[in-house]
Amino acid sequence: MTSTTSHSKVIRKILFAIIWLVIWQVVSICVNNKILLAGPIEVFKSLMMLLGDSAFRLAVIASIGRICLGFLIGSLVGFVLAILSYRFTIIEEFFSPLVTVIKAVPVVSFIILVLIWSGPTVATVISSLVVFPIIFLNTLHGLKATDKKLLEMSLVYKSSFTDKLFYIYLPSIKPFLLSGVSLAAGMAWKSGIAAELIDQTTNSLGNGLYRSKINLLTSDLLAWTVATVLLAFVFEKLLLLLLSFIPGNSPGGKA
């Protein structure tokens, strides 16, 4: 029964996606101006041409490296500080204003500031800044949601640190971490590509978008966008797949 329901959901998603592609193509035909709106057929052709271009492949690899590094740094810092904040309240109080500021300040403001400080590493720095508060807050909330009765029981039975980690803490933070990573992965790509575009970083997806825009190549612009969306989607799914091996249930909350 569950398998049938799952298959029907997949079929519906594919069907709806096809419907939206048809709508897009019809609107493109009605507009009849490829500069204003290129249709999915033109975008697909542009994407195929880009895939055969070595410069495009180099840009993809370079952007993946910058954004993945930024995501890793932001996640590690957020995760470690969340653990320390859970253990020591004063650390949470100390970093709380910083987290609030990072969440509130527009990404473009950070990009401009980081451009002055770090130059070519702007995409990595921006990705880290965007990811950090999401992972920090979700991990901290997960730790705070840990069942106090289970912790008391672990003290009574003198459970080892390993047992408490795998059977109490990890199952508690897993749903929050899954939620946080899902959000942070997409935000890392959006902010990282925006940083590359504003910085006009060579060998980058952001620079490809910029060049397409100034040359009024809308089909190329959308092809670069599609490539970015697909990479972000695969990146997110791979991360969630890795995190699914953590003990505990998958559904969870958000920060």
Side-chain angles (χ1 to χ4, degrees), residues 3 44 56 71 75 97 132 135 142 151 159 165 179 196 235-236 245 247-248 253:
S3 178
F44 179 77
F56 171 77
F71 181 89
S75 296
F132 160 68
I135 300 300
L151 291 174
S159 301
L165 176 65
S179 177
E196 290 180 341
F235 179 67
E236 177 188 339
F245 292 102

Side-chain angles (χ1 to χ4, degrees), residues 109-123 125-126 129:
S109 298
F110 278 126
I111 293 174
I112 294 170
L113 286 172
V114 175
L115 276 172
I116 300 171
W117 300 335
S118 65
T121 62
V122 61
V125 175
I126 293 300
L129 282 173

Side-chain angles (χ1 to χ4, degrees), residues 60-61 63-76 123-124 127-128 130-131 135 177-178 180-193 205 226-244:
V60 167
I61 293 171
S63 289
I64 289 174
R66 296 186 192 99
I67 294 170
C68 286
L69 179 60
F71 181 89
L72 179 63
I73 293 171
S75 296
L76 285 175
T124 299
S127 295
S128 299
V130 169
V131 168
I135 300 300
L177 203 54
L178 286 172
V181 165
S182 180
L183 175 60
M187 292 300 297
W189 276 89
K190 287 180 182 179
S191 59
I193 298 301
L205 291 169
V226 169
T228 302
V229 170
L230 290 175
L231 287 169
F233 177 79
V234 172
F235 179 67
E236 177 188 339
K237 294 305 178 184
L238 286 175
L239 286 173
L240 293 178
L241 178 63
L242 290 173
L243 290 175
S244 68

